[in-house]
Amino acid sequence: MQLAMVGLGRMGANIVRRLMRDGHDCVVYDVNQDAVATLAAEGATGTATLADLARELQTPRVVWLMIPAGLTGGVVDQLADVLEPGDIIIDGGNSNYRDDVRRAAALKPKGIHYVDVGTSGGVFGLDRGYCLMVGGPDEAFARIEPILATIAPGRGEIERTPGREGDFSPEELGYLHCGPSGAGHFVKMVHNGIEYGIMAALAEGLNILEHADAGIHQAEHSAEVAPLEEPEFYQFTIDTPKVAELWRRGSVISSWLLDLTAAALQENPTLEGLAGRVSDSGEGRWTVKAAVDTGVPAPVLAASLFERFASRGEDHFANQVLSAMRLQFGGHQELPAGDVLEAGGRKADT
Amino acid sequence: MQLAMVGLGRMGANIVRRLMRDGHDCVVYDVNQDAVATLAAEGATGTATLADLARELQTPRVVWLMIPAGLTGGVVDQLADVLEPGDIIIDGGNSNYRDDVRRAAALKPKGIHYVDVGTSGGVFGLDRGYCLMVGGPDEAFARIEPILATIAPGRGEIERTPGREGDFSPEELGYLHCGPSGAGHFVKMVHNGIEYGIMAALAEGLNILEHADAGIHQAEHSAEVAPLEEPEFYQFTIDTPKVAELWRRGSVISSWLLDLTAAALQENPTLEGLAGRVSDSGEGRWTVKAAVDTGVPAPVLAASLFERFASRGEDHFANQVLSAMRLQFGGHQELPAGDVLEAGGRKADT
Amino acid sequence: MQLAMVGLGRMGANIVRRLMRDGHDCVVYDVNQDAVATLAAEGATGTATLADLARELQTPRVVWLMIPAGLTGGVVDQLADVLEPGDIIIDGGNSNYRDDVRRAAALKPKGIHYVDVGTSGGVFGLDRGYCLMVGGPDEAFARIEPILATIAPGRGEIERTPGREGDFSPEELGYLHCGPSGAGHFVKMVHNGIEYGIMAALAEGLNILEHADAGIHQAEHSAEVAPLEEPEFYQFTIDTPKVAELWRRGSVISSWLLDLTAAALQENPTLEGLAGRVSDSGEGRWTVKAAVDTGVPAPVLAASLFERFASRGEDHFANQVLSAMRLQFGGHQELPAGDVLEAGGRKADT
Amino acid sequence: MQLAMVGLGRMGANIVRRLMRDGHDCVVYDVNQDAVATLAAEGATGTATLADLARELQTPRVVWLMIPAGLTGGVVDQLADVLEPGDIIIDGGNSNYRDDVRRAAALKPKGIHYVDVGTSGGVFGLDRGYCLMVGGPDEAFARIEPILATIAPGRGEIERTPGREGDFSPEELGYLHCGPSGAGHFVKMVHNGIEYGIMAALAEGLNILEHADAGIHQAEHSAEVAPLEEPEFYQFTIDTPKVAELWRRGSVISSWLLDLTAAALQENPTLEGLAGRVSDSGEGRWTVKAAVDTGVPAPVLAASLFERFASRGEDHFANQVLSAMRLQFGGHQELPAGDVLEAGGRKADT
């Protein structure tokens, strides 16, 4: 079927390629006309404006947006002016599901359907397919299902879950209609919240492995920090990159994020050059806020988010307050940077 | 080669089967002689005592223990009496790595090698192979490597990590010599600590999905608990089992633990019958203690452990103290059980 | 000066009493006319409607609301109809500071000032005074300062902070103009967030003391839960109520919340009758959301909030998921309730 | 009565002064003979060796050690050689309670009593008195009670807990016999664990206040970090030092640690010069390990400890791993330091 793609960054462009490979007809637009030209050369129909795009499409139209969340609102408004009742706008970006709820309500009087599609798969999606979490009206979902089926991974080689039989259901093919508008991005949001937690679990564990040699460095310990007890039990120099590779094989924690970790450590065993200032893109925050709103305990997901904040120095004033209190009640002076960083048995590289 | 297995529970028996399939010669022992008879019928050499076992084996002997951690110390002592210099004892159970360090030191004067093998793979290992984390002297590792190679998953169908070329290294075949005695169980301990964190991330996320309908149940809210703000954003009734299945396909969080979650929810979509009292078997505790000892922040791993403690009611007195304080400073009465449990929009089943 | 109080619950009534004791003139209103009659008998001017109240007051009027946060919006709207430019509405309840920002903006065109006053002090404020965190325009703050000075604790017997000299500043008297509308409730919100953290720290610590006898109960341990290591170090039967009392004297953690804890344990040493289902009234949630919004790590404040959610059973589904995974990968069965609860060395009373 | 003090640092010297003020007879020793001379000039009996010290004392002797925990074991051994059956050794330092249990058992055959006294009060104890948590045999406790009563704060001006009547019990005077050897330091350990939690709650809350102006700095936000949502709600420039002072007056969170925070912020409102590398002295670690051992959830206490570890850079490798994963799955580059640190609306000073 025919689809328009607005936004031809890495993900948008690869989704177009995956659709064209499967025989779909793609009309494309991006403010960067070079990106348009590139895909036009690969077989898509390029357009120069959103109005052009609308003209090129057969009605009822289907327009997929794959643009930064901050721009989505404006582009939806512009599209609303050039589209007609019965058309479908799909937001495949990383929008807050609350915006979906608002936008779907705003478009309803115009008869334009709004579908939110949480899209996971990163840079590997072109070949691997994308996991699609869809929110929106039944009618619109039914209409775009052929597109979703192409973008999703499909049956693949994954072992079927015991107890599932007969035809493959959509969720087994990698796409799911999760509920009304917003439900897709809600499920994607929680997916990313979980991702933060899994990433943190792996990172904390590997950090412990890196410190398994603390007993060897014990002599360097400073007086102000609690000494390592029983250094005889921390005499291991673990080859962390090899362990990450090992755990991919038959262990309970085998996972795609572990695969990526093993690849990263294979490429750069000491992770030299990485400053360890970890960004976050919003979904982790929204997940914690949703947990707070609904009264669900989420200490692991919250802790993983807060570790990222702290990695960027946002714990600085709090730590100064702690040092200030210690100075007040016990006269404890802070150690110079070098000394303290040796305390765990290693020097940080900053 | 020849190996003796002591302990023929699910894991011990399956390791023996996997070894025999690959042509190794197995001598077996268990206090439960029925288990011995079963494996003898499948081709192993059954024995009735540890002394028998020692007599059946060619020297230098290799004896693998696959018994509950609490019994390992005693059995090692008994074996030490019937074994000879040059023999190898392998502890494949879930021992604390500190016990390995102590046992290896105690056996050294007798010339008996001690090798600890952290073994992951659960009930699926017979077919899938076991991930093996090995600690001990180089010489002993070299001697038992053929056995390890058989028990491990081997090359399998897992995609090779980019950058790895040529012959497969041991870690790519599913076993790794991590360091001296204790290093194997240390790495296994951290593996399990990570496992707790990943499990908790998945469980917390799914719990948020389950509460995505909180806005629908809002009317039932009680006065004593903070009301749900903006109930219009919590109107989703998510089919959690389908979402778990979906995420297996192309998503960033695809993992073996997610596969198992999807299987569990397929089998029992509401998880009815499970009380939610979550056990822990020690490694998560040791991991947190190792993090504390070495000064490594592990908030996610610790939180996942503490959630298990709380699931078993061990937070009870602390919660009573909180209620008692609230009563003191604000005259706040606790709500009856039924009312409070409705607060999140649902009734707990207990 | 003259003040109207709307809402004569415990806090509203006590603030009126504290004001009258200091010679202020109070006009009062409550939907419960009995409460009005009670305070009229103590010297206040009772009124039957908000319109009456407006008529009784000299202009420019000052009206203090001390009502449940859920009702504030409606009452502010009603008051806006009977007040005039130059009048001041004070919200002394536990509103979300975001509502203050919205309400102040809505009242501005009418020339009515809006002041938010975060009020801490609980049931003890009548004698002890209330700590007042104030947001709103300078002009309005200046006008109501005499009232604030009376309601606040004043100089009291608290030792002066080293380095402070000369006249007492407002914050030393117990009230502070924190910034524009919303700033008062923002500071109060964070105050309560901190309160949750301190309460949790005390509760967790006392719970550890309660379990210091775990080694004595060790024999009762079950097989499915990790056994207590080194039971010889957990042989203490601590008298927790006495310890709480002790810590009030000269210790670093002496605090008003500890005073209350000691009082609660003096009254009911085993806390029998408390179910341990801990309510939360919103500020803790808003604090965590503010931390998330502004990228500030707040693991302690978040954990203390999540413990309350879990105390109300909102971790139930997550725990079922954990048990379900354990069953899948290891065939681990959940223990019957009684057995597991004994695991920590004690039986929970539910 | 007569007491020997070994270790004349700030706390040891002040305890001697407090005892002499109350008429007790003090014999003192320190490796630093200047410290001995100083106290001798104030009325104590100075000694040059532990053997001298033993000779100076009437039997049965009472010797109080106030030395760094790392040295206690050695000094106890030396003392054991010069003391006699019936003598008492008191460890008033910050020993791990497990060492008390071991030392008491070792001294028992020699007939020497061992008493552990957890001592809280910091640099203010000389005037304020010290909170004393005591472990040891009943007989020894009874013998040293007059000393304890002097060192403790005594009745003071603290309001009596409701329900307590008649004679003041020891815990109301500031000392308590908590149980057998080790119980004193166990209770002190938990006290310090709670202290970490309270400190962290205050520090996190004040950090949120510091970021209440995030909306004003919004323009500086970078693309890689989630933008601040609803900046209109983060427009407050809070005077944190004044708020800390305010909260001392009538608020629920008034506490000695808040008093110290207010003093620190009065002295240095921006906390300039503090690097925010927060030390820890062991008790927080032992508390978390005790919680883990006994199966007690302690997420707040653990999080407060882990924040300190992270403040010293011990989260570095974990954060590098997170950045490495993000690079793998999404091609996300780390931002340069300056950009990221601006993200929260402020520049860190390092």
Side-chain angles (χ1 to χ4, degrees):
Chain A
M1 62 178 281
Q2 192 191 48
L3 175 93
M5 177 64 69
V6 173
L8 301 173
R10 189 164 35 203
M11 284 190 76
N14 281 345
I15 289 174
V16 167
R17 290 185 182 108
R18 198 168 161 95
L19 284 167
M20 293 194 302
R21 280 186 194 172
D22 205 32
H24 294 285
D25 171 24
C26 292
V27 180
V28 301
Y29 170 76
D30 195 293
V31 287
N32 172 4
Q33 285 289 310
D34 289 347
V36 173
T38 300
L39 279 165
E42 299 180 31
T45 304
T47 62
T49 66
L50 290 176
D52 277 358
L53 182 103
R55 271 188 300 271
E56 283 291 342
L57 292 166
Q58 297 139 22
T59 56
R61 302 170 183 88
V62 181
V63 184
W64 184 298
L65 307 187
M66 207 70 202
I67 57 181
L71 306 178
T72 305
V75 174
V76 168
D77 288 346
Q78 293 171 46
L79 272 174
D81 289 339
V82 297
L83 297 185
E84 294 169 293
D87 291 350
I88 296 175
I89 297 176
I90 300 169
D91 177 12
N94 278 325
S95 297
N96 188 323
Y97 77 94
R98 293 177 171 231
D99 290 327
D100 300 323
V101 174
R102 291 186 199 105
R103 284 171 197 149
L107 291 171
K108 202 167 188 185
K110 304 188 179 180
I112 300 173
H113 297 297
Y114 186 86
V115 176
D116 52 291
V117 180
T119 307
S120 180
V123 296
F124 298 81
L126 173 56
D127 297 317
R128 213 176 168 246
Y130 299 89
C131 183
L132 302 175
M133 299 151 251
V134 187
D138 290 348
E139 181 195 338
F141 174 78
R143 191 124 61 81
I144 65 171
E145 195 164 354
I147 292 168
L148 300 172
T150 290
I151 301 174
R155 198 175 287 221
E157 294 173 10
I158 294 172
E159 209 173 332
R160 204 164 188 192
T161 294
R164 285 188 171 267
E165 294 174 352
D167 290 344
F168 276 59
S169 61
E171 65 270 22
E172 291 185 277
L173 300 170
Y175 65 95
L176 179 68
H177 186 201
C178 299
S181 292
H185 277 136
F186 188 92
V187 172
K188 174 59 161 48
M189 170 190 84
V190 174
H191 166 279
N192 282 36
I194 293 171
E195 177 191 314
Y196 280 39
I198 295 177
M199 288 173 72
L202 288 165
E204 290 181 6
L206 293 173
N207 199 14
I208 296 171
L209 289 187
E210 280 288 304
H211 285 70
D213 62 354
I216 301 173
H217 302 275
Q218 176 64 358
E220 306 164 17
H221 262 265
S222 83
E224 187 66 5
V225 172
L228 176 63
E229 297 173 323
E230 304 175 293
E232 67 272 27
F233 293 121
Y234 298 99
Q235 299 285 335
F236 306 121
T237 304
I238 306 289
D239 188 324
T240 306
K242 287 188 181 171
V243 170
E245 181 64 38
L246 173 71
W247 285 342
R248 299 180 66 219
R249 314 272 162 173
S251 96
V252 171
I253 63 172
S254 59
S255 56
W256 195 52
L257 285 163
L258 178 62
D259 295 346
L260 298 180
T261 306
L265 288 167
Q266 169 68 18
E267 199 180 309
N268 180 3
T270 61
L271 300 181
E272 204 186 324
L274 288 170
R277 285 186 293 273
V278 191
S279 300
D280 77 279
S281 56
E283 290 91 351
R285 300 183 183 206
W286 306 332
T287 301
V288 172
K289 288 161 83 171
V292 168
D293 276 342
T294 57
V296 171
V300 162
L301 306 189
S304 66
L305 179 67
F306 291 140
E307 288 185 295
R308 294 194 179 195
F309 293 170
S311 81
R312 306 197 301 254
E314 299 289 2
D315 55 350
H316 186 60
F317 185 73
N319 291 332
Q320 288 180 307
V321 169
L322 294 177
S323 283
M325 282 190 223
R326 297 186 82 245
L327 191 56
Q328 287 284 329
F329 68 70
H332 302 292
Q333 296 291 338
E334 284 193 322
L335 282 201
D339 285 8
V340 177
L341 289 169
E342 283 174 337
R346 62 201 55 253
K347 280 187 206 287
D349 63 358
T350 46
Chain B
M1 62 178 283
Q2 192 191 47
L3 175 94
M5 176 65 67
V6 174
L8 302 172
R10 191 165 32 203
M11 284 190 76
N14 281 345
I15 288 173
V16 168
R17 289 184 181 108
R18 198 166 161 95
L19 285 166
M20 293 195 299
R21 280 186 195 173
D22 204 32
H24 295 284
D25 172 26
C26 292
V27 180
V28 300
Y29 170 75
D30 195 294
V31 287
N32 172 3
Q33 286 288 311
D34 289 347
V36 173
T38 301
L39 278 164
E42 300 180 31
T45 304
T47 62
T49 67
L50 289 176
D52 276 357
L53 182 104
R55 271 189 299 272
E56 284 291 341
L57 292 167
Q58 298 139 21
T59 56
R61 301 171 184 87
V62 182
V63 184
W64 184 299
L65 309 188
M66 207 71 200
I67 57 180
L71 305 179
T72 305
V75 175
V76 168
D77 288 347
Q78 293 171 47
L79 272 174
D81 289 339
V82 296
L83 297 185
E84 294 169 292
D87 291 349
I88 296 174
I89 298 177
I90 301 170
D91 176 13
N94 279 325
S95 296
N96 189 324
Y97 78 95
R98 293 176 172 231
D99 290 328
D100 299 323
V101 174
R102 290 187 199 104
R103 283 171 197 149
L107 291 172
K108 202 167 188 185
K110 304 189 180 180
I112 300 173
H113 298 297
Y114 186 86
V115 176
D116 51 292
V117 180
T119 307
S120 180
V123 295
F124 298 82
L126 173 56
D127 298 316
R128 213 175 167 247
Y130 299 88
C131 183
L132 302 176
M133 298 150 252
V134 186
D138 290 349
E139 180 195 338
F141 175 78
R143 191 125 60 82
I144 64 171
E145 195 165 354
I147 292 168
L148 300 172
T150 290
I151 301 175
R155 198 175 286 222
E157 295 172 9
I158 295 173
E159 210 173 331
R160 206 166 187 192
T161 294
R164 285 189 172 266
E165 294 174 353
D167 288 344
F168 276 60
S169 61
E171 65 268 23
E172 292 185 278
L173 299 171
Y175 66 96
L176 179 69
H177 186 201
C178 301
S181 292
H185 278 136
F186 189 92
V187 172
K188 175 59 162 47
M189 169 190 85
V190 173
H191 166 279
N192 282 36
I194 293 172
E195 176 191 314
Y196 280 38
I198 295 177
M199 288 172 72
L202 288 166
E204 290 181 5
L206 294 172
N207 199 14
I208 296 172
L209 289 187
E210 280 287 304
H211 285 71
D213 62 354
I216 301 172
H217 302 276
Q218 176 63 358
E220 304 165 17
H221 262 267
S222 84
E224 187 67 4
V225 173
L228 177 63
E229 297 174 324
E230 305 176 290
E232 65 272 26
F233 292 121
Y234 296 100
Q235 299 284 335
F236 306 122
T237 304
I238 306 289
D239 188 324
T240 306
K242 287 187 180 172
V243 170
E245 181 63 37
L246 173 71
W247 285 343
R248 300 180 65 217
R249 314 271 162 175
S251 96
V252 171
I253 63 172
S254 58
S255 57
W256 195 52
L257 284 162
L258 178 62
D259 296 346
L260 298 180
T261 306
L265 288 166
Q266 170 68 18
E267 199 180 308
N268 180 2
T270 61
L271 300 181
E272 206 186 321
L274 287 170
R277 285 185 295 272
V278 190
S279 300
D280 77 280
S281 55
E283 289 91 350
R285 300 183 182 207
W286 306 332
T287 301
V288 172
K289 287 162 83 170
V292 168
D293 276 342
T294 57
V296 171
V300 162
L301 306 189
S304 65
L305 179 67
F306 292 140
E307 287 185 296
R308 294 193 179 195
F309 293 170
S311 81
R312 305 196 303 253
E314 298 291 2
D315 55 351
H316 186 60
F317 185 73
N319 291 331
Q320 289 180 307
V321 169
L322 294 177
S323 282
M325 281 192 224
R326 297 187 81 245
L327 191 57
Q328 287 284 328
F329 68 69
H332 303 291
Q333 296 290 339
E334 285 193 320
L335 283 200
D339 286 6
V340 178
L341 289 168
E342 282 174 338
R346 63 202 54 255
K347 281 187 206 288
D349 63 357
T350 45
Chain C
M1 63 179 281
Q2 192 191 48
L3 175 91
M5 176 65 67
V6 173
L8 301 173
R10 189 164 34 202
M11 284 190 75
N14 281 344
I15 288 174
V16 167
R17 289 185 181 108
R18 197 167 160 94
L19 285 166
M20 293 195 299
R21 279 188 195 171
D22 203 32
H24 295 286
D25 171 25
C26 292
V27 180
V28 301
Y29 170 76
D30 195 292
V31 288
N32 172 3
Q33 286 288 311
D34 290 346
V36 174
T38 300
L39 278 165
E42 298 180 31
T45 303
T47 63
T49 66
L50 290 176
D52 276 358
L53 182 105
R55 271 189 299 272
E56 283 291 340
L57 291 167
Q58 298 139 23
T59 56
R61 301 172 184 86
V62 181
V63 184
W64 184 299
L65 308 188
M66 208 71 201
I67 57 181
L71 305 178
T72 305
V75 174
V76 168
D77 288 346
Q78 293 171 47
L79 272 175
D81 289 338
V82 297
L83 297 185
E84 293 170 292
D87 291 349
I88 296 174
I89 298 176
I90 300 169
D91 176 12
N94 279 324
S95 296
N96 189 323
Y97 77 94
R98 293 175 172 231
D99 290 328
D100 299 323
V101 174
R102 291 186 199 106
R103 283 172 197 149
L107 291 172
K108 202 166 188 184
K110 303 188 179 179
I112 300 173
H113 297 297
Y114 185 86
V115 176
D116 52 291
V117 180
T119 307
S120 180
V123 297
F124 298 82
L126 173 56
D127 297 316
R128 215 175 165 245
Y130 298 89
C131 183
L132 302 177
M133 299 150 250
V134 187
D138 290 348
E139 181 195 337
F141 174 77
R143 190 124 62 80
I144 65 171
E145 195 165 353
I147 292 169
L148 300 172
T150 290
I151 301 175
R155 197 174 287 222
E157 294 171 11
I158 294 173
E159 209 173 333
R160 204 164 188 192
T161 294
R164 286 189 172 266
E165 294 174 352
D167 289 345
F168 276 59
S169 61
E171 65 268 23
E172 291 185 278
L173 300 171
Y175 65 95
L176 180 69
H177 186 200
C178 299
S181 292
H185 278 135
F186 188 92
V187 172
K188 174 59 161 47
M189 169 191 85
V190 173
H191 166 279
N192 281 37
I194 293 172
E195 176 191 313
Y196 280 39
I198 295 177
M199 289 173 70
L202 288 165
E204 290 181 6
L206 294 173
N207 199 14
I208 297 171
L209 289 187
E210 280 287 304
H211 285 70
D213 63 354
I216 301 173
H217 302 276
Q218 176 64 358
E220 304 164 18
H221 261 267
S222 83
E224 187 67 6
V225 172
L228 176 62
E229 297 174 323
E230 304 174 292
E232 65 273 25
F233 293 121
Y234 297 99
Q235 299 285 335
F236 306 122
T237 304
I238 306 288
D239 188 325
T240 306
K242 287 188 181 173
V243 170
E245 180 64 37
L246 173 70
W247 285 342
R248 299 180 66 219
R249 316 271 162 174
S251 97
V252 171
I253 63 171
S254 59
S255 56
W256 194 53
L257 284 162
L258 178 61
D259 295 346
L260 298 180
T261 306
L265 288 167
Q266 169 67 18
E267 199 180 307
N268 180 2
T270 61
L271 300 181
E272 205 187 324
L274 287 170
R277 285 185 295 271
V278 190
S279 299
D280 77 279
S281 55
E283 289 91 350
R285 300 184 183 206
W286 305 331
T287 301
V288 172
K289 288 162 84 171
V292 168
D293 277 342
T294 57
V296 172
V300 162
L301 306 189
S304 66
L305 179 67
F306 291 140
E307 287 184 297
R308 294 194 179 194
F309 293 170
S311 80
R312 305 197 301 254
E314 298 290 1
D315 56 350
H316 186 60
F317 185 72
N319 291 331
Q320 288 180 308
V321 169
L322 294 177
S323 282
M325 282 191 224
R326 297 187 80 245
L327 191 57
Q328 287 283 328
F329 68 69
H332 302 291
Q333 296 290 339
E334 285 193 320
L335 283 201
D339 285 6
V340 178
L341 289 168
E342 282 173 338
R346 62 201 55 254
K347 281 187 206 285
D349 63 358
T350 45
Chain D
M1 61 179 283
Q2 192 191 46
L3 175 94
M5 176 65 67
V6 173
L8 302 173
R10 189 164 34 204
M11 284 191 75
N14 281 344
I15 289 174
V16 167
R17 289 184 182 109
R18 199 167 160 95
L19 285 166
M20 292 194 301
R21 280 187 195 171
D22 205 32
H24 294 285
D25 172 25
C26 292
V27 180
V28 301
Y29 170 76
D30 195 294
V31 287
N32 173 3
Q33 285 289 311
D34 289 347
V36 174
T38 300
L39 279 165
E42 299 180 32
T45 304
T47 62
T49 66
L50 289 176
D52 277 358
L53 183 103
R55 271 189 299 271
E56 282 291 341
L57 292 166
Q58 297 139 23
T59 55
R61 303 172 183 86
V62 181
V63 184
W64 184 299
L65 308 187
M66 207 71 200
I67 58 180
L71 306 178
T72 305
V75 174
V76 167
D77 288 346
Q78 292 172 46
L79 272 175
D81 288 340
V82 297
L83 297 185
E84 293 170 293
D87 291 348
I88 297 174
I89 298 176
I90 300 169
D91 176 13
N94 278 325
S95 296
N96 189 323
Y97 77 94
R98 293 176 172 231
D99 290 328
D100 300 323
V101 174
R102 290 187 199 104
R103 285 173 196 147
L107 291 172
K108 202 167 188 185
K110 303 190 180 180
I112 300 174
H113 297 297
Y114 187 85
V115 176
D116 51 292
V117 180
T119 307
S120 180
V123 296
F124 298 82
L126 174 56
D127 297 317
R128 213 175 168 248
Y130 298 88
C131 182
L132 302 176
M133 299 150 251
V134 187
D138 290 348
E139 180 195 338
F141 174 78
R143 191 126 61 81
I144 64 170
E145 195 164 354
I147 292 168
L148 301 173
T150 291
I151 301 174
R155 198 175 286 221
E157 295 173 9
I158 295 173
E159 210 173 331
R160 205 165 188 192
T161 295
R164 286 190 172 266
E165 293 173 353
D167 289 343
F168 276 59
S169 61
E171 65 268 22
E172 291 184 279
L173 300 172
Y175 66 96
L176 178 69
H177 187 200
C178 300
S181 292
H185 278 136
F186 189 92
V187 172
K188 174 60 162 47
M189 170 190 85
V190 173
H191 166 278
N192 281 36
I194 293 171
E195 177 192 313
Y196 281 38
I198 295 177
M199 289 173 71
L202 288 165
E204 290 182 6
L206 294 173
N207 199 15
I208 297 171
L209 289 187
E210 280 286 303
H211 285 71
D213 62 355
I216 300 172
H217 303 275
Q218 176 63 359
E220 305 163 18
H221 261 267
S222 84
E224 187 66 4
V225 172
L228 177 62
E229 298 174 323
E230 304 176 291
E232 66 272 26
F233 293 122
Y234 297 100
Q235 300 284 334
F236 306 122
T237 305
I238 306 288
D239 188 325
T240 305
K242 287 188 180 173
V243 169
E245 181 63 37
L246 173 71
W247 284 342
R248 300 179 65 217
R249 315 270 162 175
S251 96
V252 171
I253 63 171
S254 58
S255 56
W256 194 52
L257 284 163
L258 177 62
D259 295 345
L260 298 180
T261 306
L265 288 167
Q266 169 68 18
E267 198 180 308
N268 180 1
T270 61
L271 300 181
E272 206 185 323
L274 287 171
R277 285 186 294 272
V278 191
S279 299
D280 78 279
S281 55
E283 289 92 349
R285 300 182 183 208
W286 305 332
T287 301
V288 172
K289 288 161 84 170
V292 168
D293 276 342
T294 57
V296 171
V300 162
L301 305 189
S304 65
L305 179 67
F306 291 140
E307 287 185 295
R308 294 193 179 194
F309 293 170
S311 81
R312 306 196 303 253
E314 299 289 2
D315 55 350
H316 185 61
F317 185 73
N319 291 330
Q320 288 180 307
V321 169
L322 294 177
S323 283
M325 281 191 224
R326 297 187 81 244
L327 191 57
Q328 287 284 328
F329 68 70
H332 302 292
Q333 296 291 337
E334 284 193 322
L335 283 200
D339 287 7
V340 178
L341 288 168
E342 283 174 338
R346 63 202 51 254
K347 281 186 207 285
D349 62 357
T350 44

